Amino acid sequence: VSPGKPTMEPPVKVQKTSSIQQPVGILCEHEYPWITSLLTALKSLNIPHELIKVQDFPFNPAGPKPNYSVIFNRTSALPSFTDQPEKVVFYAHQALFALEQTGIPLINGYKAYQIGVSKVMQQAVVNKLGFNWPASVACKQHSLEEAAKQLSPPLMVKPNAGGKGKGIKVFATVQELVDGCKELYTGPDDLVLVQEYHAPEGGNICRVEVVNGEVLYGVKFPVPGADKEGETGLAGSACSLLPKSFNYCPADVCQVERNKTQPGSVPVAFQPSEEIAQQCIKIAAGCEADLCGVEYLTSKRDGKVYFYDLNVLSSFVSKDVLGFDPWPKLAELVEAKAKSA
């Protein structure tokens, strides 16, 4: 069976001649707003492209190489358009690995996606580089208490594979965690992490976007209630001080949803220090990610910097926040990969 190319829209017809002979394949599960932004940027550079719906994309594990100049993986870590996201994620894993074997260039390919959907793997990458990640223990739901006893409260419970803060809970004590996790969202792989909770110093978390080995921009994002927490983030049963949502996605496409639970939480552009910038670049390289949003905070517990989430999907914030449009830079990366294929 030859690899088919079912698409969500026909190939874009450009007005000017492009030096790229074969179209760029945009692998995704749904046409989200950030896909539209990418398509607009590609069109502005006259780059021919096709959308490939990953779950409807037949692929041949033995080849041949598909008729694309490059394939850009934009499949979500937690697809929100379906009630069975694990089916999309697992299918994408197989497709990306098989595509990689054909020799076709991939942007955020198999390894990047594999790490992007797993907090366990993200921690392993960051710790191997010698950088800080909150102490964590991965487990099944029935082992939560045993895992929690290995850590220092306050504690956070989160799914290994998740997005937009879904399923995250914070507890002041081990007993509160046990009592509060009778019902728990465990994500598509049914694996959860118990993690030491670090309240952000200054009330902000930070995100740095790395594109093609360079920092594109940094943003600070205010966490509602963080400035009212104690030195460790919680005192006694102070969970009421925590935000109603842990959706820290700073992108403009997340703003409408976030305003329902965190009104007034708006990202602000900033320039990360050279040390942080270089660490973020190394982390993206460790994930083999051409595109990666690296999130970190400075902890109230000990004043240290902790990385805690890596986003290979990286939906950008708007030019109103940054003062420039970040999407053309990403389109330039796609163009360069396609021309060198």
Side-chain angles (χ1 to χ4, degrees):
V1 180
S2 298
K5 298 189 296 182
T7 63
M8 298 163 64
E9 65 171 25
V12 173
K13 297 180 179 179
V14 297
Q15 299 300 317
K16 298 180 182 179
T17 302
S18 171
S19 61
I20 300 172
Q21 299 304 311
Q22 292 181 307
V24 171
I26 309 298
L27 193 68
C28 59
E29 79 282 1
H30 185 69
E31 192 170 347
Y32 298 109
W34 53 85
I35 297 295
T36 303
S37 297
L38 173 61
L39 299 185
T40 299
L42 293 175
K43 190 174 181 180
S44 71
L45 293 178
N46 300 316
I47 300 174
H49 57 273
E50 297 178 9
L51 286 180
I52 310 168
K53 195 173 182 180
V54 60
Q55 63 270 35
D56 296 332
F57 177 55
F59 61 91
N60 186 337
K65 181 179 176 181
N67 295 320
Y68 295 104
S69 56
V70 63
I71 291 180
F72 188 179
N73 176 38
R74 296 291 285 167
T75 309
S76 299
L78 187 68
S80 59
F81 81 101
T82 174
D83 59 355
Q84 294 182 312
E86 67 278 1
K87 291 188 176 182
V88 175
V89 172
F90 294 154
Y91 190 93
H93 277 147
Q94 310 307 312
L96 288 167
F97 184 83
L99 287 168
E100 203 167 74
Q101 308 315 302
T102 70
I104 188 169
L106 297 178
I107 298 175
N108 275 12
Y110 175 71
K111 183 176 179 180
Y113 185 67
Q114 191 177 40
I115 294 172
V117 301
S118 171
K119 297 292 189 296
V120 167
M121 293 185 184
Q122 291 174 20
Q123 179 175 356
V125 169
V126 170
N127 287 159
K128 185 176 181 179
L129 288 168
F131 308 143
N132 296 322
W133 187 281
S136 310
V137 178
C139 64
K140 291 289 190 177
Q141 186 173 359
H142 65 267
S143 300
L144 280 171
E145 183 175 4
E146 180 182 351
K149 288 179 178 179
Q150 300 179 47
L151 302 168
S152 176
L155 301 173
M156 172 179 279
V157 177
K158 61 172 66 175
N160 179 54
K164 297 183 179 179
K166 185 174 181 179
I168 295 179
K169 298 181 178 183
V170 176
F171 303 94
T173 68
V174 172
Q175 190 57 53
E176 284 185 14
L177 182 151
V178 172
D179 294 339
C181 290
K182 303 299 183 185
E183 294 184 5
L184 186 67
Y185 174 72
T186 59
D189 59 2
D190 195 34
L191 181 65
V192 295
L193 278 81
V194 183
Q195 188 174 89
E196 292 183 354
Y197 174 68
H198 291 263
E201 195 173 80
N204 295 299
I205 58 99
C206 302
R207 177 160 165 164
V208 174
E209 294 290 347
V210 178
V211 177
N212 199 26
E214 298 180 354
V215 170
L216 181 59
Y217 67 79
V219 289
K220 290 184 177 181
F221 189 75
V223 178
D227 57 341
K228 299 177 182 178
E229 298 170 2
E231 291 183 1
T232 61
L234 293 174
S237 298
C239 295
S240 60
L241 296 178
L242 292 168
K244 296 179 181 178
S245 168
F246 284 89
N247 178 9
Y248 295 158
C249 168
D252 54 325
V253 295
C254 300
Q255 189 68 44
V256 175
E257 179 182 341
R258 189 172 54 246
N259 278 343
K260 297 176 183 178
T261 55
Q262 301 179 47
S265 298
V266 180
V268 177
F270 85 108
Q271 182 66 40
S273 69
E274 181 62 22
E275 180 181 12
I276 290 293
Q278 290 304 314
Q279 289 177 350
C280 291
I281 290 170
K282 289 179 181 178
I283 288 171
C287 297
E288 296 185 12
D290 304 279
L291 169 68
C292 186
V294 181
E295 295 186 18
Y296 69 93
L297 57 80
T298 301
S299 174
K300 280 186 177 181
R301 283 195 185 213
D302 54 20
K304 295 180 181 179
V305 169
Y306 287 86
F307 298 96
Y308 65 88
D309 195 16
L310 310 179
N311 301 272
V312 298
L313 182 61
S314 288
S315 181
F316 296 150
V317 300
S318 71
K319 60 182 178 182
D320 293 335
V321 173
L322 300 175
F324 70 93
D325 186 356
W327 291 101
K329 187 70 174 179
L330 184 57
E332 290 172 6
L333 165 64
V334 176
E335 181 180 43
K337 292 279 189 179
K339 285 183 176 180
S340 63

